[in-house]
Amino acid sequence: MSPQDPSRSGGTDRPLTDLEACVLGVVHGRQPCTAYAVRAEFAASPTRRWSGSAGAIYPLVRRLHAAELLSGEQRPRGSRTSILYRLTEAGVVALRGWLRADDLVETISLPVDPVRTRLHFVGALPEDDRRRWGDAVVEGLRAQVEALREEWRLDAFPTDLDRWIARGALDLAEARLTWFEEVRRRLGDSSALAGGRGSD
Amino acid sequence: MSPQDPSRSGGTDRPLTDLEACVLGVVHGRQPCTAYAVRAEFAASPTRRWSGSAGAIYPLVRRLHAAELLSGEQRPRGSRTSILYRLTEAGVVALRGWLRADDLVETISLPVDPVRTRLHFVGALPEDDRRRWGDAVVEGLRAQVEALREEWRLDAFPTDLDRWIARGALDLAEARLTWFEEVRRRLGDSSALAGGRGSD
DNA sequence: GGACACATGTAATACGTTACATGATTTT
DNA sequence: AAAATCATGTAACGTATTACATGTGTCC
């Protein structure tokens, strides 16, 4: 049964994709809300996983609506109509199913770190480029940590949950910075980089 | 000019995608090597970013070959032929260009953490499910850290670079575990979760 | 010589991105 | 009323995934 099959009605189907689940989650958090609001929230997200592009969100929301995981309330808006979405019971069930997946492998999986990925291949750079790259990355990571610390200091979080999430981001960023500062110190030694294998 | 346009010959084109760059990087590290070897390395990677599926790698390698970023040496193998690839000069240039990208935004960007993503929406779970989920995640993260620590302890890394990369993965995993243990302690309080907004 | 892993692909499918198009509302 | 911004979409495109098909070498 294809994902956009409108005959799907229950929560007994294939599990949600991450994007579907996140859309359901966002709607759940701000219902009633429009597809545009979901889009805006994705666009505002600091991570670059999804762009929240129109071509992804509008069709996806329509699909979730057709699958009756979302209910829509028409709201006239000139010649066009806006739709205010809410989660249906099936939508809540589906979202919960995604959250407490029996298989946690994907949830637990080690986050992909673009710095670590690139580090695998840094042996392909000449020594001075390597050092320059390391300096630039350290600088970028420091700025990132600084920004997250400032956000933390201001403590303008609507809920405790938001604060915990921000804390997690900050802790991760700090750990990465500390680690990479150590690595950078050694980026000059060619001896260690001969192989250049691995792909993350 | 489309990515598989065989007329592309230099390194002056659009920047490489991450997958393209990683393929070049792997070939660079083990050249000469076959598409299958690249595939195997992706499949062996602990992260789940790419599956290294045949349908992705074989066409991609052919594209890189057509673009003359890879050179191929035919090797008869029964009725089929195997191709041993190497990086061309243009391939090295392209790989280096990807590594020391002028725009580090993507490199620096905060790693996507599936745990953090799910935490955004955990308010949609009833309280006891929430606690159960938290316990399961902590258990999973502990096992992950344990495995990485063991790998670290054995210290069976071909190069220093491999060791640093493993250290980075371990540090990240430990930071995530420490953070989430703290979070889990509070997953019982409903007060904090009322909003349930955010999308990572 | 059958089973099994190694190795090389192709076809169908799904979906996220970019780029474009257009309507509605607010600002100046 | 022109410009900018908010809002709702569509079309073309590329490409990663799954599932399948098939050849090749090795091990018992």
Side-chain angles (χ1 to χ4, degrees), chain B residues 17-82:
Chain B
T17 66
D18 286 359
L19 182 52
E20 286 168 342
C22 287
V23 167
L24 287 183
V26 169
V27 174
H28 180 262
R30 8 176 97 203
Q31 59 188 327
C33 81
T34 64
Y36 183 81
V38 176
R39 212 160 113 47
E41 181 140 348
F42 278 100
S45 160
T47 73
R48 301 162 50 79
R49 175 146 190 204
W50 297 297
S51 71
S53 56
I57 300 301
Y58 285 104
L60 175 51
V61 166
R62 253 202 316 278
R63 240 147 53 211
L64 293 172
H65 190 184
E68 293 176 40
L69 301 181
L70 292 178
S71 68
E73 175 195 339
Q74 220 94 2
R75 198 180 42 170
R77 187 178 177 77
S79 71
R80 288 190 166 183
T81 62
S82 195

Side-chain angles (χ1 to χ4, degrees), chain A residues 31 45 68 73 75-76 80 85 127 150 154 156:
Chain A
Q31 59 188 329
S45 161
E68 293 177 41
E73 176 195 339
R75 200 180 40 167
R80 289 188 165 184
Y85 292 101
E127 196 169 320
E150 177 64 11
L154 293 177

Side-chain angles (χ1 to χ4, degrees), chain B residues 37-38 49 53 56 60-61 68 74 88 101 104 108 120 147 161 163-164 175 192-193:
Chain B
V38 176
R49 175 146 190 204
S53 56
L60 175 51
V61 166
E68 293 176 40
Q74 220 94 2
T88 62
L104 283 177
I108 300 305
H120 275 113
L161 185 59
R163 190 166 13 252
W164 302 343
L193 308 173

